[in-house]
Amino acid sequence: MAPTNAPPPRWNAALGVWDGDRAAGADFVPPDPLYIFGYGSLCYKRDELPSDEEFVGRVRGWRRLFAQSSTDHRGTPEKPGLVATLLSDAQLDALGLRAADEPPSACCGMCCRVPKDRVADVLDALDFREKGGYSRDVVDVERAAGGAGSVRALVYSATPENPNFVRPTSIDAAAATVAAAVGPSGPNPEYVFALERWLREVGEEDAHVFELAEAVRRIVDAEG
């Protein structure tokens, strides 16, 4: 799964995206067959990813966190929004965002197997879609309902080293950012509420998402 010797991506500070409009590490060799693990809008936007198999999955040792500034989907360069990324426990530890006695993290999302004849198109579309600071990685995904063993899946995560990463401070600060942002993909609150709704529909808990959604809802309701 090693990347090729392509030059490192360059950051376009004015637009808040990688030059070339591609995710970092787009040369990274993906798993075969190609499974994609989505933990944000891919959970509820099922028509955006063709699949011949899909299931609610869980990755262990990783946590979903609203810590990525969005200037190209749920915000603009002038008023960025805030969207989810997936951070490993090692990254959380380095940032001081995980207690020493805390058990390993886990994140629930949607895992899809891409038809072989659609792999190139899907990767091209996702690399463009995730140009705002995301990089390719590979994770082991368990089936949340149990059953057959785990699969290796491609995931797009925005690491703490990317220029759009926003170190979390408080839920209230994150909610204020979300409530005020609108981008080409729509209002930022819509993204948070849709993810919250999907998690509840599949019977999964995510205290971080639920707390943020409630804080955003208070602001939106107060503003009428």
Side-chain angles (χ1 to χ4, degrees), residues 147-159:
S150 63
V151 301
R152 298 281 283 168
L154 181 66
V155 67
Y156 288 81
S157 66
T159 71

Side-chain angles (χ1 to χ4, degrees), residues 51-173:
S51 65
D52 50 20
E53 178 193 4
E54 59 183 50
F55 58 90
V56 177
R58 184 174 290 108
V59 294
R60 300 195 182 276
W62 297 77
R63 183 188 303 172
R64 176 174 30 228
L65 198 62
F66 275 79
Q68 181 67 6
S69 183
S70 177
T71 63
D72 60 330
H73 284 296
R74 295 295 178 169
T76 64
E78 296 74 28
K79 182 171 279 189
L82 195 65
V83 292
T85 183
L86 194 66
L87 298 184
S88 69
D89 281 350
Q91 291 168 329
L92 294 168
D93 288 341
L95 292 168
L97 296 176
R98 204 170 76 92
D101 59 349
E102 195 172 341
S105 302
C107 176
C108 173
M110 180 63 75
C111 191
C112 304
R113 186 179 66 202
V114 178
K116 274 193 172 295
D117 62 347
R118 299 296 305 277
V119 166
D121 290 342
V122 166
L123 289 176
D124 188 59
L126 287 176
D127 286 338
F128 176 78
R129 185 180 190 270
E130 306 297 353
K131 62 187 180 292
Y134 289 80
S135 302
R136 286 184 180 186
D137 207 335
V138 177
V139 292
D140 291 311
V141 185
E142 304 172 358
R143 298 171 192 273
S150 63
V151 301
R152 298 281 283 168
L154 181 66
V155 67
Y156 288 81
S157 66
T159 71
E161 294 76 29
N162 95 86
N164 267 351
F165 185 81
V166 179
R167 182 185 173 88
T169 53
S170 70
I171 286 293
D172 288 342

Side-chain angles (χ1 to χ4, degrees), residues 15-42:
L15 298 179
V17 299
W18 296 117
D19 273 342
D21 288 337
R22 289 290 182 270
D27 57 309
F28 193 95
V29 179
D32 183 14
L34 178 61
Y35 282 89
I36 303 288
F37 180 73
Y39 53 88
S41 60
L42 287 178

